Amino acid sequence: MSAMTPEKKAPLSLAYYVHSLVCLCIMFGFGLLDPVEPLTPLGMRLVGVFLGVLYGWVFIEIVWPSLAGLLAMMLVGGMKPVTLLNNSFGHPIVQMMFFIFVFCATINHYGLSRFISLWFITRKFVAGRPWLFSFTFLASIFILGALTSASPAALIGWSILYGVCEVCGYKKGDSYPTMMVFGIVFAAQIGQSMIPFKQVALTVFSAYETMSGMGIDYAKYMLIACLICLLCALFFIVLGKYIFRPDMSKLLNLEADKLDTDGSLNLTGVQKTVLLFLFLLVLLLLAPNFLPADFFLTRFLKAIGNTGIVILLVTVMAAIKVEGKPLLNFKVMVDSGVTWGIVLLLAFVQPLTIAMAAPGSGITDFLMQLLTPFFGESSSITFALFIGFAAVALTQVMNNGAVGVVLMPVIHSFCQASGMAPELPLIMVVMGVHFAFLTPAASASAALLHGNEWCNTKAIWKSSPIAILGAYAATAIVTLLLGSLLYS
């Protein structure tokens, strides 16, 4: 489920207060129970804090349960305030997430998201080729999901789709727009996984990095994720062509240039500058993986780290003046772009994972005691497939960042004890938690999908299970084949 859920307009009900009470009781009361060996009293209290916050994330919201969890870490979790705050809001990953939000808000502010999508579907090679046009359309939404997030990518994709329907004569209820309304959410959700230093992927990876002390190779992950997205897009087109079989005849004579009704394809100098900074961001974050270790640029980038790279670009953009105004208006971008729920979730996860991984908690030994009867003799492939499927199933009803965090101690404990490489199960989980589009509770974009008049609930429930299983299969194939080679 997306870390940002739609705001409820209805007044708070009794259920809200009951859930809030249960959340706090678990958070502060679970640790009073007798420890279950090999858990220590500290371990019981940490498990209670985690379960209480998790309950709050599922049944209430993200913000205040995360803040309450930070307080509980001070009061019952054995962390002093200074240490806790240094490991939460002071953690480089949390700060990086904040500045990434600011940067992405700038991309949206200058209308580059719509440009990217329109640029793809107005290429001459798609003219008169309906299925190639649809594949290219979905590919552009994958990229939008990666650069922004699923909900804005879906809304931009839908606005372009409605223009296609108007030009071609499609109406609500027709098979093609019904398929593509769902397909756009499918692409937007999975596309979020492509860039590992954004939102959910960063939350999950950073939880494992904090717990294990092992860094993640972003370049290898991006290669695998991009191939998975490509295979998912191809799978959806095959699914449409042979299972859904919409009427594609009206697309044969589509003049795609007519879709650019507001001149989005004509970039201004300012937009080109912002687009250049986008390319620089990706290039600089990946460069240390390819440049020689003794090269001056490599040493500089490693010295400031990924967080420093993002801050550097945001600083330069804020310093550049366009007609007397900053290219990046920091206050405006913070107000419009920062999803505080994700920042707070990440701020809580960092100190918690450190405490849970410490030998004094007994949590690692406890998890291994539970897992060994099931996976004691299993291969890394079997474990990766199982943990990936668990992520896919849980994310349909739970916050996807929370699902990933829940599974990180399991992966860390099992791989540490068995000697298995953690990369394959890590990738399966990170990809799996993005397949959140079956139920309205699965993600913010899924909630938008279920409320879209162009795609009824019956069509969604008909399409989603097949699409989810296909995406899981694509992830398993690419991860196990390519991942085994890259991480061998």
Side-chain angles (χ1 to χ4, degrees):
M1 180 178 172
S2 173
M4 183 179 180
T5 55
E7 293 184 4
K8 298 180 180 180
K9 297 180 180 179
L12 296 180
S13 63
L14 178 61
Y16 172 83
Y17 295 104
V18 171
H19 286 312
S20 299
L21 180 61
V22 172
C23 169
L24 294 173
C25 287
I26 297 173
M27 200 180 299
F28 292 98
F30 188 86
L32 299 176
L33 301 175
D34 293 333
V36 179
E37 292 186 357
L39 288 177
T40 65
L42 174 61
M44 283 292 287
R45 294 195 297 272
L46 290 172
V47 170
V49 173
F50 175 66
L51 292 178
V53 174
L54 179 61
Y55 183 93
W57 287 344
V58 173
F59 294 103
I60 308 171
E61 62 173 24
I62 298 296
V63 175
W64 81 252
S66 299
L67 292 172
L70 288 172
L71 291 172
M73 290 290 292
M74 300 180 200
L75 296 172
V76 300
M79 272 201 174
K80 295 182 179 180
V82 174
T83 303
L84 176 72
L85 294 174
N86 284 338
N87 288 324
S88 57
F89 294 104
H91 197 284
I93 293 294
V94 179
Q95 297 170 8
M96 180 181 176
M97 180 70 81
F98 173 83
F99 284 99
I100 281 288
F101 276 131
V102 172
F103 187 93
C104 291
T106 309
I107 301 296
N108 281 332
H109 177 75
Y110 285 100
L112 290 175
S113 298
R114 183 171 174 82
F115 161 77
I116 291 169
S117 186
L118 282 174
W119 187 89
F120 273 89
I121 64 175
T122 53
R123 298 304 90 195
K124 291 183 179 179
F125 68 86
V126 303
R129 299 172 178 174
W131 286 111
L132 183 59
F133 169 84
S134 301
F135 173 79
T136 306
F137 194 174
L138 291 180
S140 72
I141 303 302
F142 273 108
I143 294 174
L144 284 189
L147 297 178
T148 58
S149 62
S151 295
L155 292 172
I156 291 168
W158 285 347
S159 69
I160 295 172
L161 176 65
Y162 300 152
V164 171
C165 293
E166 183 178 353
V167 171
C168 295
Y170 285 116
K171 299 178 181 178
K172 293 179 183 178
D174 288 347
S175 54
Y176 182 74
T178 298
M179 179 188 79
M180 288 302 290
V181 163
F182 171 76
I184 286 169
V185 170
F186 171 83
Q189 273 294 133
I190 300 177
Q192 287 186 113
S193 66
M194 281 200 289
I195 299 183
F197 39 81
K198 283 184 72 264
Q199 297 175 1
V200 176
L202 182 62
T203 300
V204 179
F205 277 140
S206 66
Y208 189 83
E209 289 176 0
T210 303
M211 184 172 288
S212 66
M214 184 195 81
I216 304 297
D217 189 322
Y218 284 173
K220 290 180 180 179
Y221 169 80
M222 283 187 68
L223 175 60
I224 293 172
C226 288
L227 288 176
I228 290 172
C229 288
L230 176 63
L231 195 57
C232 285
L234 287 171
F235 166 76
F236 191 84
I237 293 302
V238 171
L239 192 65
K241 189 170 184 177
Y242 296 104
I243 304 297
F244 302 146
R245 298 182 179 181
D247 176 16
M248 307 290 284
S249 60
K250 296 179 181 180
L251 288 169
L252 291 172
N253 298 315
L254 170 65
E255 297 179 33
D257 292 340
K258 292 183 178 180
L259 300 175
D260 184 21
T261 57
D262 54 1
S264 296
L265 287 173
N266 299 317
L267 290 181
T268 65
V270 175
Q271 288 175 314
K272 291 177 181 178
T273 302
V274 175
L275 195 59
L276 174 62
F277 275 99
L278 173 60
F279 290 135
L280 274 175
L281 175 67
V282 177
L283 182 64
L284 293 178
L285 286 170
L286 296 179
N289 295 299
F290 301 102
L291 296 176
D294 58 349
F295 187 49
F296 78 95
L297 181 60
T298 307
R299 294 200 303 270
F300 170 74
L301 295 177
K302 287 185 176 180
I304 63 176
N306 291 334
T307 304
I309 291 171
V310 183
I311 293 175
L312 172 64
L313 294 181
V314 169
T315 301
V316 174
M317 294 173 74
I320 294 174
K321 301 292 182 179
V322 179
E323 297 179 355
K325 298 180 180 180
L327 179 66
L328 186 157
N329 187 317
F330 192 79
K331 182 181 184 304
V332 172
M333 296 305 108
V334 169
D335 291 343
S336 64
V338 177
T339 305
W340 289 106
I342 295 178
V343 174
L344 291 173
L345 183 151
L346 197 54
F348 168 72
V349 164
Q350 298 308 312
L352 179 72
T353 51
I354 293 173
M356 292 179 73
S361 70
I363 292 176
T364 298
D365 294 336
F366 176 75
L367 288 173
M368 279 311 303
Q369 193 176 82
L370 289 179
L371 292 173
T372 301
F374 297 99
F375 297 104
E377 303 298 327
S378 298
S379 67
S380 58
I381 292 177
T382 302
F383 180 70
L385 290 174
F386 171 83
I387 206 75
F389 187 81
V392 171
L394 290 173
T395 198
Q396 307 307 324
V397 294
M398 287 176 60
N399 176 280
N400 51 6
V403 171
V405 171
V406 166
L407 297 176
M408 288 306 100
V410 177
I411 294 176
H412 172 64
S413 301
F414 189 76
C415 291
Q416 186 180 50
S418 64
M420 293 181 184
E423 288 87 357
L424 298 189
L426 271 175
I427 294 171
M428 289 296 295
V429 168
V430 171
M431 292 301 304
V433 297
H434 287 90
F435 304 156
F437 40 79
L438 176 61
T439 69
S443 63
S445 54
L448 290 172
L449 174 64
H450 280 265
N452 191 300
E453 296 178 352
W454 287 71
C455 189
N456 58 53
T457 301
K458 181 179 178 181
I460 296 170
W461 280 91
K462 178 181 177 182
S463 307
S464 290
I466 303 174
I468 290 170
L469 290 175
Y472 170 78
T475 300
I477 292 170
V478 175
T479 301
L480 299 183
L481 293 181
L482 182 58
S484 297
L485 292 175
L486 292 177
Y487 295 107
S488 59

